[in-house]
Amino acid sequence: MSANALKESGPDGPLLDGIGVAALSRHAVQAEFTDTAGTRALHAVEDWCSAVDTEGPYRPRTEKFPFGDVIEHFRSVGRGAALPALIARLRVLHTSVQSEAPPEDEEVSTPLLSSWLRLTFDQEDGDYHTYVGTHLYDRMRERSEGKTGDILSDTIMAALAVDLLSIETSALAAEPSRRQRTRTRAAYQLLRSMNALAPAWGEKFEGKAGPFATADELNGDEALMAAASRAISATADQIEQPVRRLVETTMLPVTRLHDEQMFIRIIQIFEGLYVHVGRCLGRAITALDNGDAEGCRDELSDAAHRLDATPALFRVLTTMPREAFTVIRENTYGRSAVQSTSYRRVELLSAPRDPGSFSPQAPLLALEGETLQEVFERQLPELPPQTVTRLEESMRRLDAGWHMSKRTHWGITLKIIGSAPGTGGTSGADYLQRTAEVSLFPKLILGVRRRTVRRT
Ligand code: HEM
């Protein structure tokens, strides 16, 4: 524990007392009852490997893999202080599993073992994707497209919000404090905002669980915890087992800090949002290309509506204390969201970009086909003026939502890390301030200006 204790010292001293905001996670504090040494997890993995060696290939036996033992150890001590022999075993196993072809009828009831194993030694040479588990989420989402795909994707986001509320509520129950109360309330309001952030799931949930408590009704810890517990249990049977399993297996914090668990969940929800906005843009391009301007507008307004609800996510994120983030930052170098593929895809689908304007750590994505701005420009001479105006309105609305979200992220970064550089090799807040001003549709803004000048 001593190495970890040193890493978990904030600028104002050690963050080792208690459970909750600016302190430890419930798992870390209750670690004395669990597998801090990691030997139980190591034996469970060894046993599984021996059984596999005698009974057949890895993949069909994934369901029996001791995910729970490994996760419990990681959550108790933080990935950064996990048993080195266990990490080494998981790394070797990853190599073996990777070399196997998946069976044709592979089920998705458990996470893909090779992708999951890659997360377990992330602390040695990982990136943003292995920190957050994006490949596992992508794989689950790729199972369905269109409306069904949207429902699945929204259910995943909601499941993450439910888990976050459950983590925060149990911290409040363990050790009530002003900061923990504020965090738990924000997590409750976030789950409530899932109606807007993940509407396909929101409709389903509101119908069955009844309305959420109002802000007035949440006065006092008892009322808050009771309302949160009602919301959590009402959702339990609405989230299918594979989704619950995915959420459970992708909480692998590097430190023992409670705040890191919130950070991971908020990033995973944002990732879901970026993926969805990218899907909307892809479908908007196809619709406009096929002459369906209304279909294009519907997609753009779906994305814009969701972005309008991001303040609920930021309200949870702003409860991150500076001292806690300093510790998280020190332990997550090289794992910045600047590497997010889904985020970059949104920018690349909307208009052509100068690759030189991105951070060197941004993923190099080559997307096929035209951007939305290009399709719009090409079709401009043929479109009736009223359609042009309506399309411009929708594009501007999406741009405004994206801009607002980037400005808020910049403001929070300034508050939490000041002028320190980012973990992705950029200048930090200055970089974010500059990128926040880049429009999703730069020519649209110029075009509107040109037409206005011509008319006057
Ligand atoms: C305490 C909270 C956070 C701080 C202090 C913070 C800080 C930063 C910094 C300094 C950068 C610049 C790139 C770098 O060098 O790392 C960045 C980029 C980025 N962050 Fe955050 N971040 C926070 C939370 C989040 C969350 C929860 C998300 C959600 C996924 C997120 C998404 C992004 C994205 C997409 C970029 C790339 C922006 C671009 O290239 O224009 N950040 N962040």
Side-chain angles (χ1 to χ4, degrees):
M1 150 154 162
S2 58
N4 217 25
L6 274 178
K7 275 193 247 157
E8 286 164 7
S9 287
D12 304 324
L15 296 161
L16 291 176
D17 282 340
I19 296 178
V21 176
L24 297 179
S25 72
R26 198 173 49 81
H27 278 88
V29 170
Q30 292 168 358
E32 57 187 288
F33 307 112
T34 60
D35 184 25
T36 36
T39 42
R40 190 170 70 217
L42 180 60
H43 289 146
V45 173
E46 298 286 10
D47 288 350
W48 182 85
C49 290
S50 323
V52 161
D53 287 345
T54 52
E55 290 174 29
Y58 294 110
R59 283 179 196 277
R61 297 186 47 79
T62 301
E63 273 187 35
K64 295 199 176 135
F65 186 81
F67 288 105
D69 292 301
V70 179
I71 292 168
E72 185 190 300
H73 173 57
F74 281 7
R75 280 203 182 192
S76 308
V77 298
R79 270 194 270 188
L83 179 67
L86 173 66
I87 305 289
R89 189 69 192 89
L90 293 168
R91 193 186 262 276
V92 170
L93 188 56
H94 174 251
T95 312
S96 326
V97 172
Q98 253 190 331
S99 59
E100 281 199 17
E104 276 171 24
D105 60 346
E106 185 180 44
E107 247 304 312
V108 204
S109 59
T110 55
L112 186 64
L113 192 54
S114 63
S115 303
W116 186 79
L117 285 169
R118 181 63 194 89
L119 314 187
T120 63
F121 49 93
D122 153 272
Q123 59 280 14
E124 295 179 354
D125 53 4
D127 60 13
Y128 172 74
H129 299 281
T130 54
Y131 179 58
V132 177
T134 55
H135 297 313
L136 292 157
Y137 284 92
D138 290 347
R139 178 168 175 271
M140 171 82 77
R141 288 193 192 99
E142 278 159 15
R143 285 166 66 194
S144 12
E145 289 176 352
K147 192 75 203 146
T148 325
D150 289 354
I151 295 174
L152 176 62
S153 184
D154 282 5
T155 305
I156 295 174
M157 287 215 273
L160 290 164
V162 171
D163 187 65
L164 174 65
L165 180 59
S166 151
I167 292 170
E168 300 303 345
T169 308
S170 59
L172 184 64
E175 280 188 33
S177 71
R178 186 182 49 78
R179 292 213 271 193
Q180 186 54 53
R181 191 170 309 123
T182 309
R183 166 79 60 78
T184 310
R185 278 177 83 103
Y188 183 78
Q189 298 301 353
L190 172 62
L191 185 56
R192 190 186 178 141
S193 300
M194 279 295 145
N195 289 339
L197 274 164
W201 182 82
E203 282 163 28
K204 211 166 79 171
F205 178 76
E206 277 279 85
K208 290 208 179 164
F212 281 90
T214 62
D216 289 345
E217 288 162 357
L218 293 179
N219 262 333
D221 289 353
E222 294 303 320
L224 175 55
M225 286 189 291
S229 303
R230 271 197 307 277
I232 293 164
S233 50
T235 55
D237 63 342
Q238 313 240 359
I239 296 164
E240 6 351 356
Q241 205 272 343
V243 174
R244 266 187 272 148
R245 194 105 174 98
L246 174 70
V247 168
E248 203 178 286
T249 50
T250 50
M251 172 53 81
L252 302 173
V254 177
T255 71
R256 297 184 299 154
L257 292 187
H258 176 78
D259 298 289
E260 191 189 351
Q261 305 203 352
M262 174 276 276
F263 186 57
I264 291 175
R265 287 301 183 227
I266 294 291
I267 293 180
Q268 289 167 337
I269 298 174
F270 262 112
E271 271 292 317
L273 184 69
Y274 299 152
V275 169
H276 188 84
V277 174
R279 276 188 181 179
C280 288
L281 275 165
R283 295 191 295 229
I285 293 171
T286 310
L288 191 57
D289 206 23
N290 293 333
D292 177 10
E294 278 311 300
C296 173
R297 289 190 67 229
D298 286 348
E299 293 296 341
L300 296 179
S301 67
D302 176 350
H305 264 114
R306 290 165 186 255
L307 287 172
D308 288 348
T310 53
L313 280 163
F314 285 120
R315 269 195 284 277
V316 181
L317 191 62
T318 44
T319 62
M320 167 76 82
R322 287 178 69 129
E323 65 272 29
F325 194 69
T326 305
V327 178
I328 297 169
R329 208 164 154 263
E330 275 167 9
N331 287 279
T332 52
Y333 262 98
R335 276 163 270 169
S336 164
V338 83
Q339 299 160 356
S340 166
T341 311
S342 56
Y343 179 85
R344 211 55 66 193
R345 200 162 171 270
V346 168
E347 297 190 324
L348 292 170
L349 282 169
S350 44
R353 306 278 157 198
D354 167 14
S357 61
F358 297 141
S359 143
Q361 283 201 22
L364 287 172
L365 294 181
L367 302 185
E368 280 176 17
E370 290 175 300
T371 63
L372 183 61
Q373 181 179 281
E374 287 168 314
V375 179
F376 177 65
E377 278 188 297
R378 177 166 53 74
Q379 297 209 348
L380 211 47
E382 320 297 331
L383 293 170
Q386 208 187 5
T387 306
V388 172
T389 310
R390 285 160 66 81
L391 279 169
E392 280 180 349
E393 266 169 23
S394 302
M395 289 161 81
R396 243 179 283 125
R397 191 158 164 237
L398 178 64
D399 192 26
W402 193 247
H403 179 240
M404 183 266 291
S405 177
K406 289 195 295 183
R407 292 276 303 182
T408 312
H409 176 238
W410 164 63
I412 293 176
T413 300
L414 203 56
K415 185 178 145 232
I416 296 181
I417 65 165
S419 58
T423 53
T426 74
S427 58
D430 275 0
Y431 166 82
L432 293 175
Q433 185 180 23
R434 183 167 51 77
T435 53
E437 295 315 314
V438 178
S439 166
L440 275 183
F441 308 107
K443 284 222 179 146
L444 174 72
I445 310 296
L446 289 175
V448 170
R449 281 195 203 130
R450 258 202 310 273
R451 271 195 297 286
T452 319
V453 171
R454 235 182 275 138
R455 262 186 235 129
T456 49

